[in-house]
Amino acid sequence: MTAISNRYDFSLVFEVTNGNPNGDPDAGNLPRLDPETNKGLVTDVSLKRKVRNFVELAKSGEDGFHIYVEEGAILNEKHRQAYKALHPDDGKLDKAAKLNPKDDREARKLRDFMCMNFFDVRTFGAVMSTGINCGQVKGPVQMTFASSVEPILPLEISITRMAATNEAEKKQKAEGDDSNDRTDNRTMGRKHIVPYGLYVAHGFISAKFAERTGFSETDLELFWQALANMFEHDRAAARGEMASRKLIVFKHANALGNAPAHTLFDLVRIGRNVDGEFRSVDDKRIGNEPPARKFSDYLITIDREKCPDGVEIIEKF
Amino acid sequence: MSYGIRLKVWGDHGCFTRPEMKVERVSYDVMTPSAARGILEAIHWKPAIRWVIDAIHVLEPIRFKSIRRNEVGHKAPAGKIKSAMKRGDLGGLQLLVDEDRQQRAATVLVKPAYVIEAHFELTQKAGADDNEGKHLDIFNRRAERGQCFHQPCLGTREFTAHFELFSPETSLPEAIPDSRDLGFMLWDIDHQAPGRPSMFFRAQMTDGVIRIPQPGSAEVLR
């Protein structure tokens, strides 16, 4: 596997309709908000999780495409039994002091083994407790928090369930209740949704780090695929409808790059669509417009004229 | 002593974690010299040179915000990887996030922007063809074009740093008119010594500028 030899920067635009793209554990699972601007946020780790899940589905255990940081059941339960039989005193493995690699060479071997087998280690990196310079694998792919183009307005939706969790709850309900049967056993719940939000995440792929982890062109294609399809396989009651809408990739002619990343991201402008006319989201005149509720309420323009030499703009979709 | 460089770095967030508050991360008020060094090294570094930070200018008011995320509780154990290598089987090597989850809040900086003033020195490893002019040119060329080894970050990798070089002629942007004692701050980590101890200094912001003590000076405390 030869590593990629170009630096890439990318801008991923995705939308959410009547769903919660990323709940905030600090705010009772409300959609994350930037308190100063009221723009929505989706953390980098949330997006990485979806990429991992997609790769796991797409490659389901193919050699070299395992996922290290997994969710849910382990597919190789059989292996695990064999493993347990081999190491009945697994507890010893946790005493890391004796298990540190002897030298850099061994640490490197461990690292290469992990990179070779696990797609997510190769892509995003991993921290391994090797005790040598933290044994970190820095992955070539780095993502930032996604932030919505305009402020979002989270709605709190109350929902009911026609069942009680347990007997005690049922009793409690019956005591304070003198109405008809229909409300018997009913419990209330809450959902938080964003009616509509268009989010932009920026990402960076370092060719130099790719050399270290062996992140190849094949991996890159798979990664683009994952960005395109990650929401298609992440349907859930909480998510509503999410979709990747646009992926703009800036391919640099060489490994170090040909332009500062921020100038490239500035070439992509997202504004409101007012009767086919582009209006910047800071434009005071859009205050009278109804709130955006669909993707066609936005326009995305790419200023190809200003694209620096040695940078190729690729619209993946 | 070579010519210094001046680099503006900025981003949406930054988290220069205080070593005493690492679990629920709390950022220092300003960028640490060691983070600044990391940014410069992300643009250009060779074993022949060592970056030395001279000053950090704070261009934006110091503001914080809290972000709570689901994180994984453990690192990948080297021992397990080793035994999997021996067995030639990946079973049991995965990390189950939903069984090993920690929710941690991070108190991060909002919209930080700095100017890093720095120079570099040649190290023991410098060969015959390493001279200061060469490395300075390489750095300046890269920084001007926005080239980098990997995209630098403001403390943690999810908080990207954008950067821009100031040529020696241009005047620097105005720092914030704020003076305060920032207390003891991490200066850098001594990677040469066993156990890699941290070194600290007493950070004093004067009109938005923090002067950084030079390596080996008495102000750097171990």
mmCIF file of all heavy atoms in Angstrom, chain A residues 8-31:
data_model
loop_
_atom_site.group_PDB
_atom_site.id
_atom_site.type_symbol
_atom_site.label_atom_id
_atom_site.label_comp_id
_atom_site.label_asym_id
_atom_site.label_seq_id
_atom_site.Cartn_x
_atom_site.Cartn_y
_atom_site.Cartn_z
ATOM 1 N N TYR A 8 -4.693 17.225 1.187
ATOM 2 C CA TYR A 8 -6.077 17.569 0.862
ATOM 3 C C TYR A 8 -6.663 18.401 1.996
ATOM 4 O O TYR A 8 -6.336 18.192 3.164
ATOM 5 C CB TYR A 8 -6.943 16.318 0.737
ATOM 6 C CG TYR A 8 -6.591 15.404 -0.410
ATOM 7 C CD1 TYR A 8 -5.616 14.422 -0.254
ATOM 8 C CD2 TYR A 8 -7.237 15.500 -1.627
ATOM 9 C CE1 TYR A 8 -5.274 13.578 -1.293
ATOM 10 C CE2 TYR A 8 -6.913 14.653 -2.675
ATOM 11 C CZ TYR A 8 -5.938 13.691 -2.508
ATOM 12 O OH TYR A 8 -5.615 12.854 -3.538
ATOM 13 N N ASP A 9 -7.514 19.333 1.635
ATOM 14 C CA ASP A 9 -8.379 19.976 2.614
ATOM 15 C C ASP A 9 -9.794 19.783 2.093
ATOM 16 O O ASP A 9 -9.997 19.784 0.882
ATOM 17 C CB ASP A 9 -8.066 21.473 2.727
ATOM 18 C CG ASP A 9 -6.642 21.712 3.184
ATOM 19 O OD1 ASP A 9 -6.219 21.053 4.142
ATOM 20 O OD2 ASP A 9 -5.953 22.552 2.577
ATOM 21 N N PHE A 10 -10.733 19.575 2.974
ATOM 22 C CA PHE A 10 -12.094 19.400 2.458
ATOM 23 C C PHE A 10 -13.130 20.118 3.305
ATOM 24 O O PHE A 10 -12.916 20.419 4.468
ATOM 25 C CB PHE A 10 -12.453 17.920 2.302
ATOM 26 C CG PHE A 10 -12.438 17.139 3.590
ATOM 27 C CD1 PHE A 10 -13.576 17.033 4.385
ATOM 28 C CD2 PHE A 10 -11.280 16.492 4.003
ATOM 29 C CE1 PHE A 10 -13.549 16.302 5.561
ATOM 30 C CE2 PHE A 10 -11.246 15.763 5.186
ATOM 31 C CZ PHE A 10 -12.392 15.668 5.969
ATOM 32 N N SER A 11 -14.228 20.411 2.644
ATOM 33 C CA SER A 11 -15.348 21.093 3.272
ATOM 34 C C SER A 11 -16.562 20.198 3.060
ATOM 35 O O SER A 11 -16.933 19.933 1.923
ATOM 36 C CB SER A 11 -15.550 22.428 2.559
ATOM 37 O OG SER A 11 -15.984 23.402 3.436
ATOM 38 N N LEU A 12 -17.138 19.723 4.142
ATOM 39 C CA LEU A 12 -18.294 18.833 4.029
ATOM 40 C C LEU A 12 -19.538 19.582 4.485
ATOM 41 O O LEU A 12 -19.562 20.133 5.584
ATOM 42 C CB LEU A 12 -18.082 17.586 4.897
ATOM 43 C CG LEU A 12 -19.290 16.657 5.048
ATOM 44 C CD1 LEU A 12 -19.555 15.893 3.764
ATOM 45 C CD2 LEU A 12 -19.088 15.676 6.192
ATOM 46 N N VAL A 13 -20.537 19.605 3.623
ATOM 47 C CA VAL A 13 -21.787 20.282 3.962
ATOM 48 C C VAL A 13 -22.858 19.214 4.155
ATOM 49 O O VAL A 13 -23.092 18.405 3.261
ATOM 50 C CB VAL A 13 -22.216 21.240 2.823
ATOM 51 C CG1 VAL A 13 -23.491 21.971 3.205
ATOM 52 C CG2 VAL A 13 -21.107 22.224 2.527
ATOM 53 N N PHE A 14 -23.457 19.197 5.324
ATOM 54 C CA PHE A 14 -24.542 18.233 5.541
ATOM 55 C C PHE A 14 -25.714 18.916 6.212
ATOM 56 O O PHE A 14 -25.596 20.006 6.765
ATOM 57 C CB PHE A 14 -24.058 17.017 6.348
ATOM 58 C CG PHE A 14 -23.545 17.344 7.719
ATOM 59 C CD1 PHE A 14 -24.388 17.304 8.835
ATOM 60 C CD2 PHE A 14 -22.214 17.677 7.923
ATOM 61 C CE1 PHE A 14 -23.906 17.594 10.098
ATOM 62 C CE2 PHE A 14 -21.726 17.969 9.189
ATOM 63 C CZ PHE A 14 -22.580 17.932 10.280
ATOM 64 N N GLU A 15 -26.880 18.262 6.117
ATOM 65 C CA GLU A 15 -28.088 18.906 6.628
ATOM 66 C C GLU A 15 -28.784 17.997 7.626
ATOM 67 O O GLU A 15 -28.585 16.783 7.634
ATOM 68 C CB GLU A 15 -29.038 19.211 5.471
ATOM 69 C CG GLU A 15 -29.567 17.942 4.835
ATOM 70 C CD GLU A 15 -30.625 18.162 3.782
ATOM 71 O OE1 GLU A 15 -30.996 19.322 3.521
ATOM 72 O OE2 GLU A 15 -31.098 17.161 3.216
ATOM 73 N N VAL A 16 -29.607 18.611 8.442
ATOM 74 C CA VAL A 16 -30.489 17.833 9.304
ATOM 75 C C VAL A 16 -31.887 18.423 9.179
ATOM 76 O O VAL A 16 -32.058 19.641 9.117
ATOM 77 C CB VAL A 16 -29.998 17.841 10.776
ATOM 78 C CG1 VAL A 16 -29.892 19.252 11.316
ATOM 79 C CG2 VAL A 16 -30.919 17.018 11.661
ATOM 80 N N THR A 17 -32.876 17.532 9.062
ATOM 81 C CA THR A 17 -34.262 17.967 9.000
ATOM 82 C C THR A 17 -35.013 17.282 10.124
ATOM 83 O O THR A 17 -35.020 16.052 10.198
ATOM 84 C CB THR A 17 -34.892 17.582 7.638
ATOM 85 O OG1 THR A 17 -33.986 17.957 6.603
ATOM 86 C CG2 THR A 17 -36.211 18.290 7.432
ATOM 87 N N ASN A 18 -35.633 18.064 10.984
ATOM 88 C CA ASN A 18 -36.424 17.540 12.100
ATOM 89 C C ASN A 18 -35.703 16.441 12.869
ATOM 90 O O ASN A 18 -36.255 15.378 13.114
ATOM 91 C CB ASN A 18 -37.776 16.998 11.594
ATOM 92 C CG ASN A 18 -38.636 18.129 11.076
ATOM 93 O OD1 ASN A 18 -38.486 19.269 11.519
ATOM 94 N ND2 ASN A 18 -39.513 17.833 10.147
ATOM 95 N N GLY A 19 -34.496 16.718 13.231
ATOM 96 C CA GLY A 19 -33.745 15.725 13.986
ATOM 97 C C GLY A 19 -32.715 16.403 14.861
ATOM 98 O O GLY A 19 -32.577 17.624 14.865
ATOM 99 N N ASN A 20 -32.009 15.557 15.608
ATOM 100 C CA ASN A 20 -30.971 16.063 16.495
ATOM 101 C C ASN A 20 -29.627 15.517 16.014
ATOM 102 O O ASN A 20 -29.340 14.347 16.223
ATOM 103 C CB ASN A 20 -31.266 15.594 17.922
ATOM 104 C CG ASN A 20 -30.261 16.127 18.913
ATOM 105 O OD1 ASN A 20 -29.285 16.762 18.537
ATOM 106 N ND2 ASN A 20 -30.501 15.868 20.183
ATOM 107 N N PRO A 21 -28.829 16.337 15.356
ATOM 108 C CA PRO A 21 -27.600 15.801 14.770
ATOM 109 C C PRO A 21 -26.575 15.365 15.809
ATOM 110 O O PRO A 21 -25.847 14.414 15.593
ATOM 111 C CB PRO A 21 -27.061 16.980 13.946
ATOM 112 C CG PRO A 21 -27.680 18.193 14.540
ATOM 113 C CD PRO A 21 -29.002 17.770 15.095
ATOM 114 N N ASN A 22 -26.542 16.039 16.949
ATOM 115 C CA ASN A 22 -25.534 15.730 17.961
ATOM 116 C C ASN A 22 -25.992 16.332 19.282
ATOM 117 O O ASN A 22 -26.023 17.544 19.442
ATOM 118 C CB ASN A 22 -24.178 16.313 17.510
ATOM 119 C CG ASN A 22 -23.027 15.982 18.440
ATOM 120 O OD1 ASN A 22 -22.044 16.705 18.489
ATOM 121 N ND2 ASN A 22 -23.122 14.911 19.201
ATOM 122 N N GLY A 23 -26.396 15.462 20.208
ATOM 123 C CA GLY A 23 -26.918 15.949 21.480
ATOM 124 C C GLY A 23 -25.815 16.415 22.407
ATOM 125 O O GLY A 23 -24.696 15.932 22.335
ATOM 126 N N ASP A 24 -26.150 17.350 23.271
ATOM 127 C CA ASP A 24 -25.184 17.882 24.232
ATOM 128 C C ASP A 24 -25.448 17.271 25.595
ATOM 129 O O ASP A 24 -26.474 17.545 26.206
ATOM 130 C CB ASP A 24 -25.334 19.406 24.292
ATOM 131 C CG ASP A 24 -24.254 20.046 25.141
ATOM 132 O OD1 ASP A 24 -23.560 19.322 25.872
ATOM 133 O OD2 ASP A 24 -24.119 21.277 25.071
ATOM 134 N N PRO A 25 -24.546 16.420 26.088
ATOM 135 C CA PRO A 25 -24.783 15.762 27.383
ATOM 136 C C PRO A 25 -24.890 16.763 28.537
ATOM 137 O O PRO A 25 -25.454 16.447 29.571
ATOM 138 C CB PRO A 25 -23.566 14.860 27.575
ATOM 139 C CG PRO A 25 -22.709 15.018 26.396
ATOM 140 C CD PRO A 25 -23.273 16.044 25.492
ATOM 141 N N ASP A 26 -24.378 17.961 28.321
ATOM 142 C CA ASP A 26 -24.450 18.980 29.371
ATOM 143 C C ASP A 26 -25.798 19.665 29.405
ATOM 144 O O ASP A 26 -26.116 20.353 30.363
ATOM 145 C CB ASP A 26 -23.377 20.052 29.123
ATOM 146 C CG ASP A 26 -22.182 19.831 30.005
ATOM 147 O OD1 ASP A 26 -22.304 19.045 30.952
ATOM 148 O OD2 ASP A 26 -21.141 20.442 29.742
ATOM 149 N N ALA A 27 -26.560 19.534 28.346
ATOM 150 C CA ALA A 27 -27.815 20.285 28.261
ATOM 151 C C ALA A 27 -28.981 19.338 28.044
ATOM 152 O O ALA A 27 -29.879 19.614 27.271
ATOM 153 C CB ALA A 27 -27.726 21.299 27.129
ATOM 154 N N GLY A 28 -28.938 18.183 28.735
ATOM 155 C CA GLY A 28 -30.052 17.241 28.622
ATOM 156 C C GLY A 28 -30.306 16.801 27.200
ATOM 157 O O GLY A 28 -31.441 16.656 26.783
ATOM 158 N N ASN A 29 -29.248 16.593 26.461
ATOM 159 C CA ASN A 29 -29.323 16.083 25.096
ATOM 160 C C ASN A 29 -29.947 17.041 24.089
ATOM 161 O O ASN A 29 -30.364 16.639 23.011
ATOM 162 C CB ASN A 29 -30.039 14.732 25.055
ATOM 163 C CG ASN A 29 -29.454 13.873 23.948
ATOM 164 O OD1 ASN A 29 -28.303 14.040 23.577
ATOM 165 N ND2 ASN A 29 -30.259 12.983 23.405
ATOM 166 N N LEU A 30 -30.027 18.292 24.426
ATOM 167 C CA LEU A 30 -30.420 19.300 23.437
ATOM 168 C C LEU A 30 -29.372 19.321 22.320
ATOM 169 O O LEU A 30 -28.217 19.006 22.569
ATOM 170 C CB LEU A 30 -30.384 20.671 24.112
ATOM 171 C CG LEU A 30 -31.591 21.577 23.954
ATOM 172 C CD1 LEU A 30 -32.548 21.254 25.082
ATOM 173 C CD2 LEU A 30 -31.185 23.010 24.026
ATOM 174 N N PRO A 31 -29.782 19.699 21.116
ATOM 175 C CA PRO A 31 -28.758 19.837 20.080
ATOM 176 C C PRO A 31 -27.685 20.821 20.548
ATOM 177 O O PRO A 31 -28.018 21.830 21.175
ATOM 178 C CB PRO A 31 -29.520 20.421 18.894
ATOM 179 C CG PRO A 31 -30.926 20.042 19.121
ATOM 180 C CD PRO A 31 -31.124 19.976 20.596
#
